[in-house]
């Protein structure tokens, strides 16, 4: 059981629409996050290395198991195996755990709203994450959630977007092969009407000094041939326009790719550069070919890894240090971001 939940205050979603689903009086200065963890590879897990970074918070970014089944019993068994790892058990004793799904833990590779078992799958995910029965996300469709951490130096809101439950159809050239290429769906949507409304409301909270928005699939990179927000250009443009309305720094988090990288884009009407931190995979590094990303900073990381984000505050303005770690705590890459 995630013991941090005993500190949580729940707010009615209708009465305080701009408030987070959950608000915690808690200093957040180190967040660890990652994705793509094969539950049947216990020796490849990085939980000891994660614990060594002493995080306040761990964020799952999807493919938390490789479930790939419409049978909720299969999903639950795989979640139980993942959760039973002794080092993961040590992590959840002292660290708050939150997270969102991507396709393999949703239940089907590259899946969207057409998946028939998505409601049962959501129950399995929430059980794995120990999400309280009084959590507002329990009563709505989809798995999206938000959390505010109120500290003496600054307030952080983490918004977890569900890019599966409502997502429109995505088709492929050469499906079922290593040469498959995603086909753009020009008018297709990802979040669905209710989630868009909720998300836009979450961003209106003027008490927040740093927003962290998590998406299972990548938002900024547009050149690779796999799943990404750029496959749905109308939805991606709507997302960017929504973010432009915010008067605080925003960081995007993503997983999915079995590689890690940092991307940066300048939006026309947003006063800060927009960064995306992709962290993947916890157990299974990529073997795909090299690919382009015009927005990438430094180089891609092609080995098992997770990320650690440290936050310092200067007059309620965040100063960030992002570090990627590999096996045995090997430091793979570091980025420093200072806001004014």
């Amino acid at each position: 059981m995630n013991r941090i939940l005993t500190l949580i205050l729940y707010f009615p979603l209708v009465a305080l629409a701009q408030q987070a689903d959950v608000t915690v009086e808690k200093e957040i200065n180190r967040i660890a996050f990652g994705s793509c963890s094969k539950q049947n590879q216990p020796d490849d897990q990085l939980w000891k290395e994660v614990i060594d970074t002493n995080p306040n918070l761990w964020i799952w970014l999807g493919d938390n198991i490789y479930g790939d089944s419409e049978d909720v019993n299969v999903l639950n068994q795989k979640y139980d195996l993942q959760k039973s790892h002794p080092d993961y058990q040590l992590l959840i004793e002292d660290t708050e755990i939150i997270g969102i799904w991507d396709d393999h833990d949703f239940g089907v590779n590259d899946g969207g709203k057409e998946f028939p078992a998505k409601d049962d799958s959501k129950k399995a995910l929430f059980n794995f994450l120990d999400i309280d029965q009084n959590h507002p996300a329990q009563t709505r469709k989809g798995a999206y959630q938000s959390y505010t951490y109120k500290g003496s130096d600054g307030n952080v809101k983490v918004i977890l977007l569900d890019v599966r439950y409502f997502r429109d159809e995505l088709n492929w050239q050469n499906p079922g092969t290593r040469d498959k290429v995603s086909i753009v769906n020009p008018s297709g949507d990802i979040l669905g009407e209710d989630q868009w409304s909720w998300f836009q409301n979450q961003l209106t909270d003027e008490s927040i000094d740093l927003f962290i928005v998590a998406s299972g699939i990548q938002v900024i990179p547009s050149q690779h041939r796999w799943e990404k927000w750029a496959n749905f250009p109308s939805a991606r443009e709507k997302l960017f326009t929504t973010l432009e309305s915010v008067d605080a720094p925003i960081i995007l988090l993503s997983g999915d790719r079995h590689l890690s990288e940092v991307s940066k884009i300048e939006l026309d009407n947003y006063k800060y550069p927009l960064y995306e931190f992709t962290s993947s995979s916890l157990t299974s590094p990529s073997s795909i070919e090299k690919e382009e990303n015009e927005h990438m900073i430094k180089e891609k990381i092609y080995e098992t890894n997770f990320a650690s984000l440290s936050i310092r505050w200067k007059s309620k303005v965040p100063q960030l240090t992002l570090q990627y770690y590999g096996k045995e705590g090997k430091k793979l890459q570091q980025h420093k971001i200072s806001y004014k």
Side-chain angles (χ1 to χ4, degrees), residues 138-152:
Q138 292 279 10
T139 60
R140 59 189 178 222
K141 298 293 186 181
Y144 55 94
Q145 311 145 54
S146 66
Y147 301 84
T148 289
Y149 302 96
K150 301 182 71 173
S152 58

Side-chain angles (χ1 to χ4, degrees), residues 246-292:
V246 179
D247 195 36
I250 303 168
I251 294 294
L252 304 176
L253 306 183
S254 59
D256 177 56
R257 298 298 324 287
H258 293 256
L259 57 83
S260 292
E261 61 185 338
V262 175
S263 303
K264 174 185 173 183
I265 194 171
E266 301 281 350
L267 302 181
D268 290 340
N269 299 306
Y270 181 57
K271 69 180 182 180
Y272 301 103
L274 181 64
Y275 291 91
E276 179 173 350
F277 304 152
T278 300
S279 181
S280 172
S281 156
L282 285 161
T283 60
S284 310
S286 173
S287 60
I288 67 171
E289 74 281 3
K290 300 293 189 283
E291 61 188 27
E292 297 297 319

Side-chain angles (χ1 to χ4, degrees), residues 214-269:
S215 161
I217 59 174
Q218 288 184 311
V219 177
I220 294 177
S222 61
Q223 293 170 280
H224 65 77
R225 60 191 176 96
W226 311 98
E227 284 197 277
K228 54 192 179 296
W229 274 77
N231 294 332
F232 300 86
S234 177
R236 183 173 181 258
E237 184 59 32
K238 183 175 181 178
L239 178 70
F240 286 152
T241 300
T242 299
L243 297 179
E244 285 178 330
S245 67
V246 179
D247 195 36
I250 303 168
I251 294 294
L252 304 176
L253 306 183
S254 59
D256 177 56
R257 298 298 324 287
H258 293 256
L259 57 83
S260 292
E261 61 185 338
V262 175
S263 303
K264 174 185 173 183
I265 194 171
E266 301 281 350
L267 302 181
D268 290 340
N269 299 306

Side-chain angles (χ1 to χ4, degrees), residues 32-33 46-55 58 91 282 306:
F33 55 93
L46 298 175
W47 301 123
K48 286 184 179 178
E49 291 84 347
V50 171
I51 291 169
D52 286 345
T53 67
N54 194 30
W58 167 263
L91 177 69
L282 285 161
F306 69 96

Side-chain angles (χ1 to χ4, degrees), residues 18-276:
Q18 73 180 21
Q19 297 287 349
D21 292 340
V22 171
T23 297
V24 185
E25 299 285 345
K26 178 180 176 67
E27 297 280 356
I28 290 292
N29 53 38
R30 189 173 293 106
I31 301 170
F33 55 93
S35 66
C36 304
S37 179
K38 292 187 176 180
Q39 72 283 346
N40 60 350
Q41 297 179 201
D43 293 340
D44 296 323
Q45 303 284 0
L46 298 175
W47 301 123
K48 286 184 179 178
E49 291 84 347
V50 171
I51 291 169
D52 286 345
T53 67
N54 194 30
N56 310 117
L57 176 68
W58 167 263
I59 304 177
W60 284 104
L61 296 176
D63 294 340
N64 312 322
I65 57 167
Y66 280 70
D68 298 293
S69 176
E70 295 182 12
D71 186 340
V72 70
N73 293 318
V74 171
L75 296 179
N76 282 327
Q77 289 169 7
K78 292 182 177 182
Y79 276 126
D80 288 345
L81 179 58
Q82 183 75 281
K83 197 171 188 176
S84 67
H85 193 290
D87 295 327
Y88 184 71
Q89 283 292 308
L90 290 175
L91 177 69
I92 65 178
E93 282 184 8
D94 297 315
T95 306
E96 183 173 359
I97 310 292
I98 63 174
I100 193 64
W101 56 21
D102 196 37
D103 55 343
H104 292 287
D105 43 351
F106 181 59
V108 58
N109 187 36
D110 303 330
K113 67 182 184 183
E114 72 284 352
F115 183 57
K118 58 187 179 181
D119 289 313
D120 285 339
S121 179
K122 173 190 168 182
K123 292 177 184 177
L125 172 70
F126 279 20
N127 181 62
F128 170 68
L129 295 171
D130 291 319
I131 293 181
D132 192 275
Q133 288 302 309
N134 293 321
H135 192 296
Q138 292 279 10
T139 60
R140 59 189 178 222
K141 298 293 186 181
Y144 55 94
Q145 311 145 54
S146 66
Y147 301 84
T148 289
Y149 302 96
K150 301 182 71 173
S152 58
D153 295 323
N155 298 332
V156 178
K157 178 181 275 191
V158 180
I159 301 173
L160 306 176
L161 296 180
D162 182 344
V163 299
R164 294 295 165 188
Y165 191 98
F166 306 97
R167 199 211 68 193
D168 286 336
E169 185 176 19
L170 179 64
N171 292 315
W172 299 83
Q173 295 176 358
N174 307 315
T177 74
R178 288 182 60 85
D179 297 321
K180 72 177 186 179
V181 179
S182 58
I183 300 172
V184 170
N185 183 339
S187 60
D189 191 21
I190 293 179
L191 299 187
E193 183 178 351
D194 289 346
Q195 187 176 185
W196 273 117
S197 178
W198 172 88
F199 177 48
Q200 290 162 343
N201 240 333
Q202 292 298 310
L203 294 171
T204 65
D205 190 343
E206 296 180 356
S207 72
I208 301 303
D209 303 297
L210 174 66
F211 287 92
I212 297 175
V213 179
S215 161
I217 59 174
Q218 288 184 311
V219 177
I220 294 177
S222 61
Q223 293 170 280
H224 65 77
R225 60 191 176 96
W226 311 98
E227 284 197 277
K228 54 192 179 296
W229 274 77
N231 294 332
F232 300 86
S234 177
R236 183 173 181 258
E237 184 59 32
K238 183 175 181 178
L239 178 70
F240 286 152
T241 300
T242 299
L243 297 179
E244 285 178 330
S245 67
V246 179
D247 195 36
I250 303 168
I251 294 294
L252 304 176
L253 306 183
S254 59
D256 177 56
R257 298 298 324 287
H258 293 256
L259 57 83
S260 292
E261 61 185 338
V262 175
S263 303
K264 174 185 173 183
I265 194 171
E266 301 281 350
L267 302 181
D268 290 340
N269 299 306
Y270 181 57
K271 69 180 182 180
Y272 301 103
L274 181 64
Y275 291 91
E276 179 173 350

